[in-house]
């Protein structure tokens, strides 16, 4: 996934100092990996990963320091002839004049970091993995219930937000209401966050927008959560058959090509959805530990039938 970052936003997010902002004022990135150009400074440009963020640490810096001005000028001119997104010099090292000249000639941003190289790499990779992850937005509510990330889905007006409010009162935590931004951080993990504009806010029909963090305290909200289970709410249909035993509860829903366990829960007047969803969370935890009450019941009935036959 390609993404444009403003130079100012990139520097602020990673606590960098802008030494040269570049000509375009933006940084276009598609790679989460990072390049340390030690081999390139030594003159080896085969397999140069130039489309990645470039980090110049103490080793690369000292190698250039030991070379003559003429060598630095030549190798850095060739280095910056590639379409490099940007260069970060760690440990607040003062970049060589030849590096700054070559960067300005090509209009490539240069930053300075206080952090050591290893710390900077870790921070940068976490930031890029989060920012460049495939993402999609879905209508729903995301809650943390007993440590299980549960996303409530269903038609507008079905009662998702009211159920979320009751769950917050019961000491569970809200991540997002109405719009959940879902990011695929690896082939099997989806993380949900709230858009910045609606973070910590919950819409209750008849009342309006309420701020959960202010009404119930900061411990009642989370910024993000892995999505472990999707519960879809729908109005109870007498003609429809719903799961009652749990022997066939291996339904999945696919989001960003990741299969997430899915439950369909019917809604009718007088049904306490908050308690039902709490039970679903505990049930999910037990199933993840290999405990299945429906299978246990089936085994008991089979054993009872065998004993009667004997």
């Amino acid at each position: 996934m390609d993404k444009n970052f403003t130079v100012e936003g990139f520097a602020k997010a990673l606590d960098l100092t802008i030494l040269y902002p570049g000509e375009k004022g933006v940084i276009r990135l598609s790679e989460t990996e990072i390049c340390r150009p030690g081999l390139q400074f030594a003159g080896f440009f085969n397999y140069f990963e130039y489309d990645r963020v470039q980090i110049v640490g103490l080793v690369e810096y000292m190698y250039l320091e030991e070379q003559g001005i003429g060598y630095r000028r030549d190798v850095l001119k060739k280095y910056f002839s590639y379409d490099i997104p940007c260069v970060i010099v760690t440990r607040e090292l003062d970049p060589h004049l030849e590096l700054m000249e070559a960067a300005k000639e090509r209009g490539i941003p240069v930053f300075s970091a206080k952090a050591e190289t290893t710390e900077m790499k870790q921070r940068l990779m976490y930031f890029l993995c989060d920012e460049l992850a495939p993402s999609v937005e879905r209508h729903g509510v995301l809650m943390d219930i007993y440590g299980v990330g549960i996303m409530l889905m269903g038609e507008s007006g079905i009662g998702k937000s009211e159920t979320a409010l009751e769950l917050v009162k019961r000491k569970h935590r809200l991540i997002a209401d109405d719009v959940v931004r879902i990011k695929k951080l690896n082939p099997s993990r989806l993380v949900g966050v709230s858009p910045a504009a609606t973070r910590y806010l919950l819409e209750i029909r008849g009342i309006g927008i309420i701020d959960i963090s202010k009404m119930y305290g900061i411990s009642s909200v989370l910024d993000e959560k892995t999505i472990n289970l999707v519960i879809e709410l729908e109005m109870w249909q007498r003609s429809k058959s719903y799961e009652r035993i749990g022997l066939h509860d291996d339904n999945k829903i696919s989001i960003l090509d990741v299969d997430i366990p899915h439950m369909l829960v019917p809604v009718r007047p007088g049904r306490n959805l908050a308690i039902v969803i709490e039970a679903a969370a505990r049930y999910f935890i037990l199933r993840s530990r290999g405990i299945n009450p429906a299978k246990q019941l089936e085994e008991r009935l089979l054993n009872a039938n065998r004993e009667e036959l004997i």
Side-chain angles (χ1 to χ4, degrees):
M1 175 182 175
D2 291 352
K3 184 170 181 177
N4 288 336
F5 300 87
T6 65
V7 169
E8 292 79 7
F10 188 80
K12 182 177 181 181
L14 293 164
D15 192 24
L16 304 173
T17 300
I18 302 172
L19 300 180
Y20 172 61
E23 289 183 351
K24 299 178 181 178
V26 296
I27 302 170
R28 186 174 183 83
L29 295 172
S30 60
E31 284 279 345
T32 58
E33 297 295 329
I34 296 154
C35 177
R36 292 188 66 177
L39 288 174
Q40 286 69 49
F41 289 175
F44 183 77
F45 284 89
N46 293 349
Y47 313 109
F48 178 26
E49 296 151 336
Y50 63 86
D51 56 346
R52 302 177 178 182
V53 175
Q54 308 287 307
I55 291 186
V56 176
L58 182 61
V59 173
E60 295 82 8
Y61 183 89
M62 292 307 299
Y63 177 81
L64 288 178
E65 183 72 18
E66 292 179 0
Q67 309 308 310
I69 293 175
Y71 179 88
R72 285 200 298 267
R73 183 175 292 114
D74 291 342
V75 77
L76 289 170
K77 184 175 182 179
K78 184 174 182 180
Y79 173 70
F80 280 102
S81 69
Y82 292 82
D83 292 328
I84 295 169
C86 65
V87 175
I88 300 174
V89 183
T90 61
R91 295 173 174 261
E92 291 188 299
L93 296 168
D94 189 18
H96 296 93
L97 178 62
E98 296 78 19
L99 186 146
M100 295 303 298
E101 288 177 346
K104 290 176 181 179
E105 184 177 338
R106 292 277 287 132
I108 295 172
V110 180
F111 301 92
S112 174
K114 296 179 182 178
E116 294 184 356
T117 309
T118 301
E119 179 188 344
M120 189 69 245
K121 284 182 63 178
Q122 292 174 344
R123 189 189 306 169
L124 184 58
M125 289 184 69
Y126 180 84
F127 171 77
L128 292 177
C129 285
D130 185 62
E131 291 291 329
L132 298 180
S135 64
V136 68
E137 291 186 349
R138 288 286 186 269
H139 177 67
V141 175
L142 182 58
M143 300 286 303
D144 174 10
I145 302 171
Y146 301 129
V148 179
I150 295 183
M151 183 169 172
L152 305 180
M153 300 180 68
E155 294 183 0
S156 181
I158 196 73
K160 299 184 295 297
S161 297
E162 290 82 357
T163 302
L165 182 60
E166 177 63 26
L167 288 165
V168 168
K169 287 178 59 182
R170 297 171 73 88
K171 306 303 181 183
H172 304 295
R173 294 184 286 184
L174 173 75
I175 293 91
D177 176 54
D178 190 41
V179 175
V180 182
R181 183 169 294 156
I182 303 170
K183 298 182 289 187
K184 181 180 178 180
L185 295 189
N186 63 47
S188 61
R189 183 186 176 208
L190 298 179
V191 169
V193 300
S194 173
T198 59
R199 188 166 297 147
Y200 308 152
L201 302 181
L202 192 67
E203 177 192 351
I204 302 297
R205 284 178 172 80
I207 297 177
I209 303 296
I210 61 175
D211 189 325
I212 293 297
S213 65
K214 290 184 172 59
M215 290 185 67
Y216 296 94
I218 198 64
S219 62
S220 63
V221 294
L222 274 178
D223 287 341
E224 64 177 41
K225 182 67 181 177
T226 298
I227 300 175
N228 305 114
L229 174 66
V230 172
I231 296 180
E232 184 177 353
L233 307 178
E234 74 167 22
M235 291 304 298
W236 193 306
Q237 302 176 36
R238 291 185 177 275
S239 60
K240 190 168 183 177
S241 176
Y242 295 100
E243 181 63 53
R244 298 185 62 182
I245 304 299
L247 287 172
H248 308 290
D249 61 349
D250 55 351
N251 294 326
K252 306 282 186 179
I253 185 172
S254 181
I255 303 175
L256 292 172
D257 296 324
V258 178
D259 290 335
I260 303 294
H262 172 265
M263 293 181 182
L264 182 63
V265 174
V267 177
R268 67 187 305 177
R271 198 171 196 209
N272 191 325
L273 287 177
I275 291 178
V276 171
I277 292 168
E278 281 184 332
R282 291 184 181 274
Y283 179 75
F284 176 85
I285 294 170
L286 289 176
R287 287 297 304 273
S288 67
R289 296 174 180 172
I291 301 172
N292 188 335
K295 293 289 186 183
Q296 292 175 350
L297 174 60
E298 183 182 40
E299 290 174 4
R300 290 173 188 172
L301 293 175
L302 289 173
N303 290 334
N305 288 334
R306 292 193 191 99
E307 290 174 1
E308 288 181 2
L309 291 174
I310 294 173

